[in-house]
Amino acid sequence: MRPNDDELRIVIFTACYFVLDGVTLTIRRLASHLRANNVQLKIVTTAPSDYKQNDEDVIFVPAIDMALAEPGSGYAFGSSLDEESIKKIEKFEPNCVHFTVPDFVAIDGIRWCQKNNVAYMATWHSNYADYLKYYYIDWCFGPILRAYLHGFYEQIPVIYVPTPFMAKKMETNGFGIHTKIGEWGRGIDLKLFDPARRSEHFRRSKGIQENDVVLIWVGRLVAEKRPDIWLEVVERLAEEGYPVKGIVVGSGEYAER
């Protein structure tokens, strides 16, 4: 039987909680929703080197910088669940654990859940194995990483993915044999993204005419996100005579192109 909201004590394992990206925003919205419903919550994550704030709801773990990330980006995987972190988790006494990243600290977390009979689940946020081909190392590390991901996720009772497409893709890639794949749908906040909020002043400041259609790229400008597809669409529509303008909200290696 599911506990009442005020009886829930949840620990979320997530890397890079202090790096602004889509995954972090999703987890922060989830954390805000849970707290608004009187759920007790702790975050297990890595810390930037310059992080000094003392947050009692955050448990920091040792980290390893991500090899493919831009220098200074702050992206890192948890390397282990050290004794101090375990003490803090056990003092909190969670009754549910949520894993968002398949790093080494999450493996330790799964073992802790299994040992202590604590319910746990996961959400899928990134196509890690698919990213390797954009850095031309899939031939070398792809089979190893895919085997690791199968070993990680197939021992989790249920994994939630954002769309039916991702559920089908994971099943095609061999996931779902020992784990259940569920859908945790997303949506657009129609109060925030509403035509009534249109700013003619902003559009003019960017050289956008009244009847121009704006195609926005929001995200990191890195190879695995495929900004080249977005750029190709903008250029093709413009060549065919459509009043299209492109705006980028983000940064990365493609920003100089």
Side-chain angles (χ1 to χ4, degrees), residues 186-241:
R186 309 288 203 279
I188 300 296
D189 185 344
L190 297 180
K191 293 182 180 179
L192 181 62
F193 297 96
D194 187 297
R197 300 173 69 92
R198 172 171 167 151
S199 170
E200 295 299 338
H201 173 74
F202 173 81
R203 291 170 66 90
R204 286 194 299 270
S205 72
K206 302 299 180 183
I208 301 170
Q209 304 302 314
E210 181 178 357
N211 294 323
D212 284 344
V213 176
V214 180
L215 296 183
I216 299 181
W217 170 278
V218 181
R220 291 185 295 127
L221 290 164
V222 291
E224 65 268 24
K225 298 297 185 181
R226 300 306 306 270
D228 55 311
I229 294 177
W230 172 83
L231 182 59
E232 182 181 343
V233 169
V234 174
E235 291 177 342
R236 182 173 175 179
L237 289 172
E239 290 172 358
E240 294 182 3

Side-chain angles (χ1 to χ4, degrees), residues 237-255:
L237 289 172
E239 290 172 358
E240 294 182 3
Y242 292 97
V244 170
K245 294 288 178 64
I247 289 184
V248 173
V249 182
S251 61
E253 60 189 58
Y254 271 74

